Amino acid sequence: MLVKYRKDYEKVAMGLLSFIPDFKDLAHLQTEMQWYQATSNHQLFLWRRPDGDFSGVIGIEVGSDFVLVHHDSLSPEERKPTNQRQMLDELAALFPDKRVMGTLEMAPIIGEWERNRDKQQTTDHN
């Protein structure tokens, strides 16, 4: 389940983001956290497993007709394609009127998710 970022989740969010190679540097990570908190169209969501533990994070930018995924990260034990897809499915459900897209870095992941979703919808309709 995706949970909107709150200040009291900061350490958890930073820990999950630190799994991304670009954010190994603490100063860069702190700058990124400030960027997400600076405006309302930049948002962070934490992904909570059914047992209640946070094990993923996704950073987005919300546009008029799109949601641009800047980052997503799962804890090492949760890095499975099914969890990644579930996180993106939940994001799409939060913004049903917007197209989920990715930055250049995220585009391959989003593309794979869209292909799986299209395949699933085709299967569901047959």
Side-chain angles (χ1 to χ4, degrees):
M1 172 174 74
L2 287 177
V3 177
K4 196 162 176 26
Y5 171 82
R6 295 193 322 237
K7 186 74 173 157
D8 52 330
Y9 297 152
E10 186 172 36
K11 281 190 170 92
V12 175
M14 288 178 72
L16 290 164
L17 282 170
S18 73
F19 291 121
I20 299 171
D22 285 356
F23 299 136
K24 294 290 184 217
D25 175 51
L26 184 59
H28 189 186
L29 177 57
Q30 289 171 327
T31 301
E32 196 69 15
M33 290 297 293
Q34 289 166 351
W35 183 78
Y36 278 114
Q37 296 170 46
T39 62
S40 62
N41 68 326
H42 299 132
Q43 298 177 24
L44 271 179
F45 288 90
L46 282 83
W47 185 64
R48 181 178 283 175
R49 292 171 18 108
D51 66 13
D53 289 340
F54 287 120
S55 54
V57 65
I58 190 163
I60 62 168
E61 181 177 343
V62 181
S64 56
D65 59 353
F66 66 89
V67 173
L68 183 66
V69 178
H70 282 268
H71 308 100
D72 80 345
S73 179
L74 288 161
S75 60
E77 63 277 5
E78 297 299 327
R79 279 192 202 135
K80 301 176 190 103
T82 54
N83 288 341
Q84 178 122 44
R85 283 194 297 271
Q86 185 175 351
M87 222 165 48
L88 291 168
D89 285 346
E90 291 176 18
L91 180 67
L94 285 176
F95 298 94
D97 301 343
K98 299 183 187 295
R99 173 153 188 241
V100 175
M101 300 169 26
T103 59
L104 283 174
E105 192 175 288
M106 289 297 301
I109 293 166
I110 301 296
E112 179 67 23
W113 167 72
E114 284 179 328
R115 283 188 292 281
N116 271 322
R117 211 166 77 149
D118 292 347
K119 214 181 297 177
Q120 188 66 41
Q121 288 173 347
T122 304
T123 306
D124 290 347
H125 290 104
N126 290 338

